[in-house]
Amino acid sequence: MVNQDMLLLETAYKDMEFSYFVSVLNYSIDDVNIDAFHEFMRPNLINDVCTSERHQKFISKGVSIRYVYSDEKQREFTAITIHPTDCKPTN
């Protein structure tokens, strides 16, 4: 369980990308506004990936972190990838 609304189904690593497969509980793909979901989730994921110690091992080696979201019936509806360049400050 990621939190009360999300369940971690599995993880995978391939081609310099570590993926989390997450089910959004109690929501159908028909209920999800994908644009609003991205708008809310991406900045939060960037903050988490770029500041958490557990992800720094990947980011520092050039590995991207990908979150693949599915609905309560495990139908995938979107993916959000955080690249190491997303963690670098802009000047």
Side-chain angles (χ1 to χ4, degrees):
M1 203 81 159
V2 175
N3 60 39
Q4 66 185 15
D5 297 316
M6 295 184 184
L7 175 66
L8 178 62
L9 301 172
E10 67 178 291
T11 60
Y13 178 80
K14 182 179 180 184
D15 299 328
M16 297 296 287
E17 186 173 82
F18 185 85
S19 298
Y20 292 99
F21 293 86
V22 179
S23 178
V24 180
L25 305 174
N26 303 315
Y27 286 93
S28 166
I29 196 168
D30 300 323
D31 299 330
V32 179
N33 177 324
I34 295 173
D35 290 335
F37 186 85
H38 270 263
E39 188 175 319
F40 177 78
M41 291 300 292
R42 185 164 171 72
N44 289 302
L45 292 172
I46 288 172
N47 183 60
D48 180 59
V49 167
C50 296
T51 61
S52 71
E53 191 174 318
R54 73 180 179 276
H55 290 121
Q56 287 308 305
K57 295 172 186 173
F58 297 109
I59 294 296
S60 66
K61 293 182 178 7
V63 176
S64 296
I65 308 293
R66 181 173 176 243
Y67 295 84
V68 182
Y69 292 96
S70 61
D71 72 358
E72 62 190 355
K73 295 181 181 173
Q74 298 183 12
R75 296 175 294 180
E76 289 183 12
F77 63 85
T78 195
I80 300 172
T81 303
I82 310 303
H83 301 281
T85 54
D86 293 322
C87 296
K88 297 187 178 175
T90 56
N91 292 330

